[in-house]
Amino acid sequence: QSDKRGNTTRPVKMIIHNAGYDWCFLQKYLSSPEKLENNGQMISGKARFGDSTSPLQIDVKNSYKIIPEPLAKFGKLFGLKVEKEIMPYNVYTADTVRTGVASMVDCLKHLPEKDHAQFIENVEKWGCTVCHTTQEIDELFGGPPTTLTHIPQPPPAAVDIIKYAGVYCDKDVITMMDGYAKFREMMFQVTELDIDAMTTLPAIADAFLKKRGCFDGCSIISGVLRAYIQKFVCGGRVMTKGNRKIKTNTVMDDFDACSLYLSALAMMPGFPTGKATNFTAKELNDPTHAAIKSAKAAFCKIHITKVGKEYPIPLLNYKDEDGTRQYTNDMVGRCVYADSQTIRDLVEFHQIEYEAVNGVYFEGLNNTINDVARELYEWRLKAKAKKNPIQVVLKLLGNSAYGRTLQCARPTSIEYLSENAFNKLMDKHFEEVDEFTPIVNHEGVINTYRVRRHRSVQDHANYAHVGVSVLSYSKHIMSKVMFLAQDLGISIEYTDTDSMHLARDRVEDLAKAYRLKYGEELIGKGIGQFHGDFDLDGADDVRATESIFLGKKAYIDKLVGTGPDGEEVHGHHIRLKGVPGKAIYAKCEQLETHPLHNIAGPMQLFKAHYYGAQ
């Protein structure tokens, strides 16, 4: 290819899993680097490399944005033949990297014992052995290493860790390449779209739904209307019962909705179509709310004058001064933004009375999404039963099907500018620049500038009215079950979006009452159904025998299951937002030997916090 100056460029496409990490190392060797990012996460990038007369034109794509799974899972996800690769990351220090060698004992210290034999096998198979003889060992380490009693044959004394890392990375690249190719093939089979032309999974899902006609007749909205509808966005309900800390020994299930958002797409009335029309003052002031009730898709700001029925876990909510959503029955006198489905649910379950303040409605509904969602759901169930890896594609596609409709406006944009372009911007429009960072190449020369620039949100457009409708119907699916359970006196201790913790011995009572009220089966694997979702490796019939809930996304369940030989299997189900499970177990190990705390295990750690420990 030739550029504007007549120079020959050689295009190169690089697909990197979690490309943002690699880009940090690459960009100082590149010319005119540009990066597309969202909330600090890299989506794609482009740059030039090499001689200016015939450079490589590099296009980098972050495959993690299309396949949001760790590389370690690719073998299982896509049915690939992948060797088990073991990497003792912590053995790589400044000293060992300088010498290129580490003792086998040091390598194994940084690996679980179950991986020792495989690591030794890899070292020998990949030709990474440095020495075996006693003389070589003495010369390299000043004496023999510690004996490894659990290894049947004497292993190599030392490892060429640089060569090992190289082979390891080569195999990772092959796994990533094969997984991406398989995913591309399967995605084309499902959608007839080529992921090479896409940058994110939501973009693929959005293009697929538009291709199938799901958005036909739907208006894209912007400006004041988009800003108004955006106020109706309300994600999943997350709270403990009564917003209190809870400690219980009730045997419980984690009662989970099957693919909640895909179920909502399959069951909702449809996507709102046509243009938005304002309700008239007469329609808003009508005490019967006839116009709002009859509208296909209404979006109204309402003032609540009465809450006829209160629940420990309500649907009513508002945003506090900090922007945190609070679920509460104390809503009389407050205003909420509610679409048609939410208003119907508030009236049915909370028996509210309200006054309409303002609102708009859309004139029609396109229900094509119902058939498409059911098709994806049923196809995935069949693929999962046959252990066909295409079920992964169908799962990811279903979970991303509505996400792009609610894409938020960005008040700033990230641009990469040459020095000349940057200077012109600062001369003429410096007030638009929020911050800038010079990017230096490997020679210490400023290569380009990363500029965060203010932008108008007036031009931003999306399908917020569609996204709001999906979210509302997903909460409707949950509300039917949760309010019926609470009416039956079944205590729900905690809920998070698509699941609820409730007493296991009352699940059948709930299923029977649901069947009588709605004429549908509650328990199962189908659309709109629920199932117990606790998981414990190698066990069936898993339940929680003790639970502690500290607040939103902060709880622990002590799990018990039945193993393959009828034995009891024990474990934990832990959620602590922003804190990995390994960090929690590491903290427990640290506190176990502490003279003041003596905390043994995660249950005791959560108990300490329940009773007020900091």
Side-chain angles (χ1 to χ4, degrees):
Q1 296 179 359
S2 297
D3 62 14
K4 295 177 181 178
R5 299 178 181 177
N7 296 325
T8 301
T9 60
R10 294 169 289 161
V12 174
K13 188 163 192 171
M14 296 178 69
I15 301 171
I16 307 174
H17 214 57
N18 196 15
Y21 178 81
D22 302 82
W23 184 265
C24 292
F25 296 96
L26 289 173
Q27 66 178 3
K28 65 181 179 181
Y29 300 104
L30 305 175
S31 301
S32 305
E34 295 183 23
K35 183 170 71 167
L36 178 63
E37 56 187 270
N38 184 15
N39 287 335
Q41 296 183 353
M42 181 174 180
I43 296 173
S44 62
K46 62 181 181 178
R48 291 188 173 197
F49 176 77
D51 192 302
S52 60
T53 59
S54 182
L56 294 177
Q57 179 63 51
I58 299 173
D59 286 315
V60 176
K61 181 176 183 177
N62 186 2
S63 56
Y64 190 81
K65 287 296 179 181
I66 286 182
I67 314 173
E69 296 286 353
L71 203 58
K73 291 186 177 181
F74 272 34
K76 184 178 180 181
L77 288 175
F78 303 120
L80 306 175
K81 290 183 179 179
V82 179
E83 296 181 63
K84 187 174 183 182
E85 297 155 15
I86 311 297
M87 173 58 77
Y89 291 102
N90 292 335
V91 84
Y92 289 82
T93 65
D95 290 337
T96 57
V97 169
R98 185 173 60 254
T99 63
V101 177
S103 75
M104 177 61 76
V105 172
D106 283 343
C107 290
L108 298 181
K109 281 179 183 176
H110 298 292
L111 293 171
E113 189 171 315
K114 64 182 179 64
D115 291 335
H116 287 185
Q118 183 65 54
F119 177 75
I120 293 168
E121 181 183 330
N122 289 351
V123 168
E124 295 178 332
K125 183 168 56 177
W126 298 350
C128 301
T129 298
V130 174
C131 59
H132 273 102
T133 68
T134 304
Q135 182 179 349
E136 289 174 320
I137 294 170
D138 289 343
E139 289 175 359
L140 191 61
F141 299 108
T146 306
T147 303
L148 303 169
T149 56
H150 63 284
I151 302 298
Q153 297 297 326
V159 180
D160 182 339
I161 60 172
I162 303 302
K163 183 177 181 181
Y164 186 91
V167 178
Y168 178 91
C169 291
D170 284 345
K171 291 185 175 295
D172 262 2
V173 170
I174 292 169
T175 299
M176 190 261 151
M177 179 179 69
D178 291 345
Y180 181 88
K182 186 70 174 178
F183 187 81
R184 182 188 180 200
E185 175 191 330
M186 293 189 299
M187 186 61 80
F188 187 82
Q189 183 181 344
V190 174
T191 66
E192 297 184 351
L193 296 170
D194 188 353
I195 66 171
D196 272 357
M198 308 285 184
T199 55
T200 65
L201 188 58
I204 297 170
D206 184 68
F208 172 63
L209 295 187
K210 287 177 178 174
K211 185 172 179 285
R212 292 292 299 269
C214 298
F215 286 92
D216 288 356
C218 298
S219 301
I220 192 165
I221 60 176
S222 62
V224 174
L225 177 60
R226 183 205 59 78
Y228 178 71
I229 298 294
Q230 207 82 35
K231 293 178 180 180
F232 291 74
V233 175
C234 179
R237 185 173 11 185
V238 184
M239 66 177 295
T240 62
K241 183 176 68 174
N243 290 311
R244 300 187 305 270
K245 290 192 291 186
I246 297 169
K247 180 178 176 294
T248 178
N249 293 103
T250 301
V251 177
M252 288 192 293
D253 269 336
D254 185 20
F255 208 45
D256 187 75
C258 299
S259 300
L260 179 62
Y261 291 116
L262 194 56
S263 290
L265 291 168
M267 299 170 69
M268 65 187 294
F271 290 172
T273 59
K275 294 181 178 180
T277 303
N278 286 305
F279 284 107
T280 65
K282 182 179 180 180
E283 290 170 331
L284 293 171
N285 293 328
D286 179 5
T288 67
H289 309 299
I292 294 174
K293 291 177 182 177
S294 63
K296 296 288 186 181
F299 298 81
C300 296
K301 179 181 179 180
I302 61 174
H303 177 259
I304 297 177
T305 58
K306 180 182 177 181
V307 177
K309 197 169 186 179
E310 298 183 353
Y311 287 95
I313 295 186
L315 178 60
L316 289 161
N317 66 86
Y318 73 98
K319 276 191 175 182
D320 62 21
E321 294 178 355
D322 297 327
T324 303
R325 193 168 293 280
Q326 303 290 353
Y327 283 86
T328 175
N329 296 292
D330 184 20
M331 291 294 292
V332 174
R334 296 186 186 273
C335 288
V336 298
Y337 293 88
D339 71 330
S340 293
Q341 185 61 61
T342 302
I343 292 173
R344 286 194 291 267
D345 287 343
L346 292 177
V347 170
E348 177 184 355
F349 300 122
H350 280 290
Q351 299 174 10
I352 69 160
E353 294 179 7
Y354 66 93
E355 297 169 348
V357 179
N358 53 45
V360 299
Y361 64 91
F362 292 83
E363 58 198 28
L365 294 168
N366 176 353
N367 63 4
T368 305
I369 186 62
N370 298 154
D371 294 333
V372 174
R374 287 182 181 277
E375 180 183 319
L376 287 174
Y377 193 95
E378 290 166 9
W379 193 355
R380 187 194 169 215
L381 281 183
K382 292 176 183 177
K384 196 172 181 180
K386 296 179 181 178
K387 297 185 178 179
N388 186 333
I390 202 170
Q391 65 96 6
V392 176
V393 173
L394 297 165
K395 177 184 177 180
L396 294 174
L397 198 62
N399 290 343
S400 303
Y402 82 99
R404 227 182 183 200
T405 62
L406 293 170
Q407 194 170 41
C408 295
R410 302 292 180 196
T412 60
S413 63
I414 302 296
E415 298 178 12
Y416 288 80
L417 303 176
S418 66
E419 188 170 5
N420 286 338
F422 173 73
N423 289 334
K424 287 181 181 178
L425 174 65
M426 294 301 287
D427 286 341
K428 296 182 178 181
H429 302 288
F430 70 90
E431 76 283 354
E432 295 180 6
V433 177
D434 190 28
E435 67 176 25
F436 66 87
T437 305
I439 297 174
V440 179
N441 65 17
H442 65 290
E443 296 175 342
V445 178
I446 294 177
N447 194 3
T448 189
Y449 287 85
R450 179 185 183 272
V451 180
R452 187 164 74 183
R453 187 175 179 179
H454 293 293
R455 58 184 290 185
S456 170
V457 298
Q458 280 295 102
D459 298 330
H460 179 70
N462 62 15
Y463 291 96
H465 52 312
V466 173
V468 167
S469 300
V470 177
L471 289 174
S472 295
Y473 205 87
S474 70
K475 284 193 285 294
H476 171 67
I477 293 172
M478 296 298 296
S479 293
K480 286 167 64 178
V481 180
M482 293 176 69
F483 289 120
L484 179 58
Q486 292 178 98
D487 285 339
L488 293 171
I490 301 173
S491 179
I492 299 172
E493 307 299 337
Y494 180 82
T495 180
D496 188 342
T497 308
D498 63 350
S499 65
M500 64 193 85
H501 278 60
L502 49 75
R504 165 174 274 218
D505 61 2
R506 298 299 307 278
V507 170
E508 284 300 327
D509 296 338
L510 178 58
K512 182 178 179 181
Y514 190 88
R515 189 183 305 118
L516 290 172
K517 182 172 182 178
Y518 295 108
E520 300 169 354
E521 290 299 324
L522 176 63
I523 301 172
K525 298 287 186 179
I527 288 172
Q529 291 185 312
F530 286 70
H531 65 283
D533 198 43
F534 279 133
D535 185 46
L536 202 54
D537 285 345
D540 295 320
D541 190 32
V542 183
R543 65 275 185 195
T545 57
E546 183 180 358
S547 303
I548 300 172
F549 304 97
L550 302 178
K552 296 180 180 181
K553 298 186 183 294
Y555 64 91
I556 184 170
D557 296 297
K558 184 177 181 180
L559 301 183
V560 177
T562 305
D565 298 323
E567 75 281 13
E568 277 196 353
V569 180
H570 298 268
H572 296 97
H573 177 241
I574 305 173
R575 291 292 180 270
L576 194 59
K577 189 174 182 180
V579 182
K582 288 183 179 179
I584 295 172
Y585 281 104
K587 186 66 176 178
C588 291
E589 290 179 8
Q590 180 187 4
L591 293 174
E592 189 170 3
T593 56
H594 194 284
L596 297 178
H597 297 293
N598 191 28
I599 289 175
M603 284 302 297
Q604 285 198 19
L605 180 65
F606 274 75
K607 282 179 184 176
H609 284 289
Y610 175 81
Y611 288 115
Q614 298 299 314

